[in-house]
Structure formats: C-alpha cells, structure tokens
C-alpha cells in the first residue's frame, strides 16, 4: 500500500494547496472535501483508456453471444471442449470476459488506501506518504459545515456505534450510501437497457450481468454504512463520472442492433432533414425511390424458341410461342 499512499497523498495535497490558495480554510472540511473530489477526477481521467477497453470488450462479448450459444449446443456434453472452443472464440474476437471488471478492480486498492489514509489520520494522526503529521491531523479532524467529520461513518455515529450519536452525520452518510447504491444500479441498468442487443439478453453472460445488476448495489449498500464520509464522497463521485462517461459513449458510439443504435440513427436522420447540406449521407429518399428501384431491375430474359427439324433446315424462325403464357397463337 505504500506506493498508493504516496500517489494518493500527492494528488490530495496538490488539490488541497490549490483550494487553500483560492481562499478556503486549510483545516476546513470544504477544502478537504473538494480535494477528495479532485482526487476522484484525476484517478478516473487516468482510467479512461481502460474504460475504452472495457466498452470494446463488453460490446464484443455482446456481439459474439449467438456464436457462444451455438458452441453450447454443439459441445454441451463435453465441458472441456466447450471451454477450449469458447476461449478460442474470445481470442479470435479480441475480447476478454474479465475486461469489463478492470476499472472496478483497479479502483479497489485506491479505495482501501484512501480508507486507511483517512481512518488512521482521524484516529491516530498517522502520516502516510506525503501527508505529514500536521496535514494528517487537519485531514482527520476536518468537518464539513463545522459538524460533519469526513472521517465519521454512519455506523460510528449511530447510537450502537463507537462514536458519539450525531443525527447530522447519520443523515449525510445515509444520503451518500443511497446515492452510491443508486448510481451503481443505474450505471449497470443503463448499459443493459440501451446498449445490449436483444439476442445478448439471454444466455450465461446476460445472467451474469443481471446478477451483478443487483448484487453490486446491495454489497456497496451494506458495506457503505461502515465507510467514512470522505470515502463515500470518493465512491459516489466516481459513480457519477462513470454514469456520465458511459452515457456519452452509448449515445455517440452505440453497439449495432441495440436500442441506443436505433436512437442514434433516428437522431441522425432528424439532423439530415433539418440540415441536408451537412448530412448528405442521411439524405431522405424520395417517395418514388421504390418505383425507380423497380424500373432499374433487369428485364426478364426471353428464352430462345424451340424449332422443329423442318424449320431448322429451312432457316425459318419459330412463331406463335409466348414465353410467359405458353401455348401458340
């Protein structure tokens, strides 16, 4: 955790100095709250390449689901062969079923490092990384609005917790826990409802996504009551970033065959109607297009008429045969 302590404390102190220069109280909760939000923005900006990789992997996973189901039907009796062929398919498609978890997995160590940084600064004034004892004491004792400590938690402030009862702390912590849970659910729901084709909503991968849709928010909600308010601020801000980032990607670069893809096509057509000179590729077709297409069809080929032996000898053409109706005139 030591390298993470140095990295996190460096970003945190950088933002703290900036807000102090802007006139905020260096020991106040506002400066440290905004520093935590700034830390979140820096971390999520650094994870953008991984997010792009996650989106591509998730899209590829959706698109190859029909092939996965074919393999399951073909090798359902042989699990080893099924696993080998499935991994081969993943390799050919350039995707990895675990790539969608990378941003969360990489954030978890940062999450726990921030938790320990804040918790130990509040309880012991322990210095970590670039956070010296003076700054650690300021960080641990900082209070938002003068009453809500960033190091306090819902559980610690409750009557059955270790700290003194504080209704304000419990209220703010409860709101942040609910916000963290709701944003986690909405982010997953947004992906499944708008950027997954209909045939990808069935099968093992879809079942896994549906389980995560409910398991992750519940897990964060249950664990959130023990998290310090400063950590809840970090995670909620991170979720809001994810929601906005995912909304932008789904809106502007949706997966083919999804509701988001159809919505984008409708928007592009609407823009073309309003500004045809800018969107020539989406220029609406005229009403006579269908007739014109019919007119461009090649004419029916007329088969050569069969001649009798006498006609072939005399060189006269065969007459009286209608190629469309048959018979003779």
């Amino acid at each position: 955790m030591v390298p993470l302590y140095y990295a996190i404390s460096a970003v945190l102190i950088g933002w703290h100095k900036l807000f102090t220069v802007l006139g905020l109280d260096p020991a106040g909760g506002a400066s440290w709250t905004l520093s935590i939000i700034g830390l979140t923005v820096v971390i999520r900006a650094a994870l953008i390449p991984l997010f792009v990789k996650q989106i591509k992997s998730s899209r590829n996973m959706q698109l190859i689901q029909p092939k996965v189901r074919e393999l399951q039907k073909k090798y359902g009796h042989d699990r080893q062969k099924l696993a080998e062929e499935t991994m081969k398919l993943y390799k050919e498609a350039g995707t990895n079923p675990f790539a969608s978890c990378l941003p969360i997995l990489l954030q978890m160590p940062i999450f726990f490092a921030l938790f320990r940084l804040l918790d130990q600064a509040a309880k012991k004034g322990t210095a970590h990384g670039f956070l010296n004892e003076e700054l650690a004491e300021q960080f641990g004792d900082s209070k938002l609005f003068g009453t809500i400590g960033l190091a306090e938690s819902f559980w610690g402030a409750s009557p059955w917790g270790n700290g003194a009862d504080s209704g304000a702390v419990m209220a703010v912590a409860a709101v942040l826990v609910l916000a963290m849970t709701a944003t986690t659910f909405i982010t997953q729901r947004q992906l499944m409802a708008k950027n997954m084709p209909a045939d990808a909503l069935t099968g093992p991968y879809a079942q896994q996504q549906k389980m995560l849709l409910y398991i992750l928010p519940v897990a964060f909600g249950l664990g959130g009551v023990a998290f310090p308010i400063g950590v809840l601020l970090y995670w909620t801000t991170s979720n809001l970033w994810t929601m906005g980032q995912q909304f932008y990607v789904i809106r502007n670069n949706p997966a083919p065959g999804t509701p988001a893809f159809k919505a984008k096509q409708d928007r592009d057509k609407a823009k073309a109607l309003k500004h045809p000179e800018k969107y020539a590729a989406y220029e609406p077709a005229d009403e006579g297009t269908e007739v014109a297409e019919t007119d461009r069809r090649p004419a029916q080929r007329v088969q050569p008429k069969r001649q009798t032996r006498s006609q072939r000898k005399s060189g006269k053409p065969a007459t009286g045969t209608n190629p469309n109706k048959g018979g003779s005139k």
Side-chain angles (χ1 to χ4, degrees), residues 48-289:
I48 286 178
L50 283 177
F51 177 80
V52 173
K53 185 176 181 180
Q54 174 196 15
I55 290 293
K56 290 181 179 179
S57 178
S58 179
R59 177 178 298 179
N60 289 340
M61 286 292 295
Q62 295 165 15
L63 296 178
I64 66 173
Q65 285 310 298
K67 295 182 179 180
V68 172
R69 286 194 289 273
E70 290 178 5
L71 291 177
Q72 291 170 347
K73 291 179 181 179
K74 186 175 182 180
Y75 302 107
H77 60 284
D78 188 344
R79 291 190 176 184
Q80 183 178 353
K81 184 66 174 177
L82 175 61
E84 292 175 356
E85 292 297 323
T86 303
M87 293 307 297
K88 182 179 178 181
L89 178 62
Y90 289 157
K91 187 176 181 180
E92 291 175 352
T95 186
N96 189 328
F98 301 106
S100 59
C101 303
L102 279 176
I104 293 180
L105 291 177
L106 288 178
Q107 280 194 89
M108 292 310 292
I110 300 171
F111 180 80
F112 286 115
L114 180 61
F115 178 91
R116 286 177 59 84
L117 202 73
L118 181 56
D119 186 60
Q120 293 189 13
K123 293 179 179 178
K124 304 176 183 178
T126 305
H128 287 292
F130 296 108
L131 200 69
N132 58 34
E133 292 183 1
E134 181 184 356
L135 290 173
E137 186 176 352
Q138 285 184 0
F139 188 35
D141 294 339
S142 60
K143 294 183 183 297
L144 193 60
F145 308 120
T147 56
I148 302 167
L150 295 181
E152 297 185 51
S153 66
F154 180 91
W155 187 266
S158 62
W160 55 83
N162 297 324
D165 185 11
S166 174
V169 172
M170 291 180 64
V172 171
V175 169
L176 288 174
V177 169
L178 291 175
M180 181 178 66
T181 304
T183 49
T184 301
F185 177 83
I186 293 171
T187 302
Q188 292 292 324
R189 179 65 181 170
Q190 181 186 51
L191 181 63
M192 294 185 65
K194 295 184 178 181
N195 206 38
M196 290 185 70
D199 57 357
L201 294 175
T202 58
Y205 180 72
Q207 293 301 320
Q208 177 189 2
Q209 293 295 315
K210 290 177 182 178
M211 288 177 62
L212 290 175
L213 178 64
Y214 296 100
I215 291 176
L216 284 179
V218 171
F220 284 126
L222 293 176
V225 296
F227 296 154
I229 287 178
V231 177
L232 292 175
L233 279 169
Y234 167 82
W235 202 254
T236 304
T237 306
S238 180
N239 283 354
L240 290 172
W241 175 289
T242 302
M243 282 179 59
Q245 189 171 246
Q246 185 170 274
F247 175 81
Y248 176 83
V249 172
I250 290 175
R251 179 178 174 83
N252 294 282
N253 192 22
T258 63
F261 187 81
K262 185 179 183 302
K264 186 177 185 301
Q265 285 185 320
D266 293 339
R267 290 195 305 271
D268 290 341
K269 289 178 181 178
K271 290 179 181 178
L273 290 173
K274 192 173 181 180
H275 303 286
E277 70 282 358
K278 293 182 180 179
Y279 301 92
Y282 290 94
E283 187 175 355
D286 296 332
E287 292 181 358
T289 301

